[in-house]
């Protein structure tokens, strides 16, 4: 046991020797310490939650409730300064504290948004995350929000305390991440850049997302094919225009290489990571895996990362649908089959994407001339150099599976995956218009 774990243990032992003398503040400190240990200390965390509930029944825990809210506020302040973003906090909280814990974290983020004026001065990406999480900044302090949450969540007092302890344990035990957005202490009225080209890019990507979403949801193959073809048309225009525009600018492309984190969910997180890696490798980007938090970082030029994210999201939907269709027998419902299916799916998709990239490069060179070759080579070199500089100590990980039936089924499904969305049918003269 580490020193902090021993301190928590002794505090808990002292605090629980007699019901009447239990100190809620010591219980809270001990509960957070045990919650930081995760599943190995689940029983102890639950016991402390029950003690906090009992202390509440005899009017001893009103102030400790507010103190718990204050600790979470401080933890969020620290996490945001250490590179964490709102959606990532909810993502990692859901892993350790479940859906109820995610609700608590969203409420705490809402209180932070009010304190930091995030609605008006946070970076655009930050505000987009708040919107997607349905964060409400006009809900009062964290303490006020927690009281409301406990009144409507239909959980016992002990269950509510247990959830809160898990959230606190998670939030107070986060390691720093690479800072990808300005933290709240650096926000000003000029934090969010604006300009007509950014607005046009956002509008174009919105159209592409909408088309892919419709293609994934429709039950009619012909309609899905038409929607995917239109989406790929827009993606091709977007990528080619951006590459040619960048080539006209004499600055070093390495300055334009960015990092972007993707949240990878369980189950089968390794297979999903491999799918992301396959997409990124085929589109000029690199990946780094933060296993502890199920976070993957993509490194590349902005337009390439936009398209990687769109294609990865679409392939996730397609792979889940293919897995459901394959899961009719008892054998295909086993975890080993499903894991092998998704690993093989990602491998085969990677092979197909590599082949498609080779064909696309040859076609683009024929259309735009040999000048396109050094343009693409320079982009690839910029990404590789930025990756080596930012992540000098990474190591390669491998994926495998021993379920042959699942592997074969996954490769077969990947053969049917829509990667080009009708790219071959796009008229080249139309691209030039």
């Amino acid at each position: 046991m580490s020193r902090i774990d021993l301190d928590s243990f002794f505090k808990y032992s002292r605090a629980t020797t007699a019901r009447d003398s239990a100190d809620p503040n010591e219980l809270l400190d001990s509960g957070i310490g045990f919650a930081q240990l995760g599943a190995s200390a689940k029983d102890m965390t639950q016991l402390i939650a029950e003690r906090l509930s009992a202390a509440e029944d005899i009017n001893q825990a009103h102030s400790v409730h507010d103190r718990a809210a204050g600790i979470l506020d401080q933890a969020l302040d620290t996490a945001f300064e250490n590179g964490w973003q709102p959606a990532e906090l909810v993502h990692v909280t859901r892993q350790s504290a479940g859906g109820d814990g995610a609700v608590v974290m969203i409420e705490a983020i809402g209180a932070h948004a009010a304190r930091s004026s995030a609605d008006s001065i946070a970076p655009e990406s930050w505000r987009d995350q708040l919107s997607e999480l349905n964060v409400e900044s006009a809900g009062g302090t964290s303490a006020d929000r927690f009281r409301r949450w406990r009144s409507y969540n239909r959980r016992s007092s002990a269950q509510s305390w247990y959830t809160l302890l898990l959230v606190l344990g998670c939030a107070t035990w986060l390691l720093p991440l690479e800072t990808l957005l300005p933290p709240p202490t650096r926000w000003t009225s000029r934090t969010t850049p604006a300009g007509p080209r950014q607005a046009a890019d956002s509008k174009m990507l919105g159209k592409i997302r909408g088309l892919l979403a419709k293609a994934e949801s429709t039950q009619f193959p012909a309609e899905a094919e038409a929607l995917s073809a239109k989406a790929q048309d827009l993606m091709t225009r977007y990528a080619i225009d951006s590459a040619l525009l960048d080539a006209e600018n004499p600055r070093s492309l390495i300055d334009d290489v960015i990092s972007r984190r993707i949240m990878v969910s369980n189950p089968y997180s390794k297979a999903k990571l491999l799918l992301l890696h396959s997409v990124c490798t085929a589109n000029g980007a690199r990946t780094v895996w933060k296993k502890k938090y199920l976070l993957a970082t993509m490194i590349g030029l902005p337009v390439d990362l936009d398209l990687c994210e769109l294609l990865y999201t679409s392939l996730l939907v397609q792979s889940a649908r293919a897995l459901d269709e394959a899961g009719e027998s008892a054998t295909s419902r086993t975890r080993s089959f499903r894991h092998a299916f998704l690993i093989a799916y990602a491998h085969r998709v990677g092979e197909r994407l590599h082949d498609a990239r080779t064909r696309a490069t040859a076609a683009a060179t024929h259309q735009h001339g040999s000048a396109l070759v050094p343009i693409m080579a320079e982009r690839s070199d910029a990404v590789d150099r930025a990756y080596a500089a930012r992540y000098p100590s990474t190591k390669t990980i491998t994926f495998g599976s021993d379920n042959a039936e699942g592997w074969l089924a996954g490769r077969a499904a990947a053969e049917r995956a829509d990667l080009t969305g009708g790219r071959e049918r796009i008229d080249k003269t139309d691209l030039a218009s």
Side-chain angles (χ1 to χ4, degrees):
M1 266 188 162
S2 67
R3 177 57 185 270
I4 185 172
D5 302 335
L6 287 173
D7 287 346
S8 296
F9 176 78
F10 289 131
K11 284 182 178 180
Y12 175 76
S13 298
R14 291 196 304 270
T16 54
T17 53
R19 178 188 178 103
D20 294 339
S21 62
D23 178 67
N25 286 295
E26 286 196 347
L27 285 172
L28 178 62
D29 292 338
S30 300
I32 294 173
F34 282 117
Q36 290 172 349
L37 300 178
S40 63
K42 177 181 177 180
D43 290 343
M44 295 299 291
T45 308
Q46 289 177 326
L47 283 173
I48 294 178
E50 292 171 2
R51 298 289 292 178
L52 284 166
S53 176
E56 196 170 46
D57 290 340
I58 55 175
N59 297 320
Q60 290 185 350
H62 295 300
S63 62
V64 78
H65 181 278
D66 291 348
R67 181 167 172 261
I71 292 173
L72 188 54
D73 285 341
Q74 293 176 359
L76 259 65
D77 290 342
T78 300
F80 288 149
E81 292 304 308
N82 284 339
W84 286 82
Q85 298 176 32
E88 295 164 352
L89 280 182
V90 175
H91 170 71
V92 74
T93 301
R94 184 174 282 108
Q95 295 171 42
S96 59
D100 284 348
V103 172
V104 172
M105 179 57 73
I106 288 172
E107 292 291 356
I109 291 172
H112 178 275
R115 296 196 308 274
S116 60
S117 302
D119 290 342
S120 58
I121 64 173
E124 182 178 4
S125 176
W126 193 288
R127 289 185 283 117
D128 287 344
Q129 293 178 47
L130 298 182
S131 177
E132 291 171 2
L133 293 169
N134 294 317
V135 170
E136 295 288 345
S137 58
T141 66
S142 293
D144 295 335
R145 293 165 184 264
F146 294 168
R147 290 190 184 93
R148 286 198 303 273
W149 168 74
R150 294 186 63 183
S151 69
Y152 69 69
N153 70 2
R154 297 183 180 180
R155 303 289 190 271
S156 68
S157 175
Q159 288 174 317
S160 296
W161 271 113
Y162 178 63
T163 296
L164 186 54
L165 288 176
L166 292 180
V167 173
L168 288 166
C170 174
T172 56
W173 202 245
L174 295 173
L175 298 175
L177 297 178
E178 178 187 5
T179 300
L180 304 183
L181 291 175
T185 54
R186 289 167 49 196
W187 293 349
T188 67
S189 59
R190 294 174 292 179
T191 299
T192 305
R197 185 164 190 273
Q198 287 191 347
D201 287 351
S202 297
K203 185 177 181 180
M204 178 67 77
L205 290 176
K207 289 181 179 179
I208 295 171
R209 289 190 184 98
L211 288 167
L212 287 174
K214 291 178 181 179
E216 293 153 10
S217 62
T218 183
Q219 300 300 315
F220 303 101
E223 183 183 9
E225 184 177 353
L227 290 166
S228 296
K230 180 60 177 176
Q232 186 62 62
D233 186 357
L234 295 178
M235 289 169 68
T236 304
R237 292 170 185 265
Y238 184 51
I240 291 178
D241 288 347
S242 295
L244 295 176
L245 184 62
D246 288 341
E248 295 175 359
N249 194 324
R251 72 185 186 283
S252 172
L253 278 178
I254 196 171
D255 297 330
D256 293 337
V257 176
I258 63 171
S259 297
R260 183 181 301 171
R261 280 192 292 271
I262 299 291
M263 294 169 287
V264 181
S265 60
N266 277 319
Y268 313 113
S269 58
K270 288 184 178 180
K272 294 173 183 176
L273 170 65
L274 181 58
L275 181 61
L276 176 65
H277 174 74
S278 297
V279 170
C280 288
T281 299
N283 287 280
R286 306 288 295 270
T287 51
V288 175
W289 178 230
K290 194 79 170 179
K291 180 180 178 181
K292 178 180 177 65
Y293 300 126
L294 299 185
L295 293 172
T297 302
M298 303 188 299
I299 304 95
L301 293 162
V303 64
D304 295 328
L305 296 193
D306 289 340
L307 300 181
C308 283
E309 190 170 355
L310 287 173
L311 181 55
Y312 169 66
T313 302
S314 181
L315 287 171
L316 271 184
V317 174
Q318 293 185 55
S319 65
R321 179 184 296 170
L323 183 57
D324 287 341
E325 292 173 352
E328 297 179 355
S329 67
T331 302
S332 62
R333 287 195 293 269
T334 63
R335 181 174 181 84
S336 64
F337 176 94
R338 298 170 80 83
H339 174 74
F341 181 101
L342 293 172
I343 290 288
Y345 185 98
H347 270 295
R348 182 55 187 148
V349 161
E351 293 169 357
R352 290 187 61 199
L353 287 172
H354 175 76
D355 292 343
R357 181 178 177 85
T358 300
R359 293 194 303 270
T361 300
T365 301
H366 178 74
Q367 178 182 356
H368 296 285
S370 60
L372 189 62
V373 175
I375 290 175
M376 302 309 293
E378 182 184 5
R379 293 168 74 86
S380 179
D381 179 67
V383 173
D384 289 342
R385 287 189 290 132
Y387 175 87
R390 297 176 192 177
Y391 310 99
S393 59
T394 58
K395 62 180 181 179
T396 301
I397 57 177
T398 58
F399 301 91
S401 174
D402 57 3
N403 189 308
E405 184 180 355
W407 180 271
L408 293 174
R411 285 186 67 87
E415 294 288 353
R416 300 186 295 271
D418 181 6
L419 305 183
T420 65
R423 180 194 299 268
E424 292 84 355
R425 293 187 296 280
I426 298 173
D427 189 343
K428 293 178 181 177
T429 60
D430 186 44
L431 289 177
S433 61

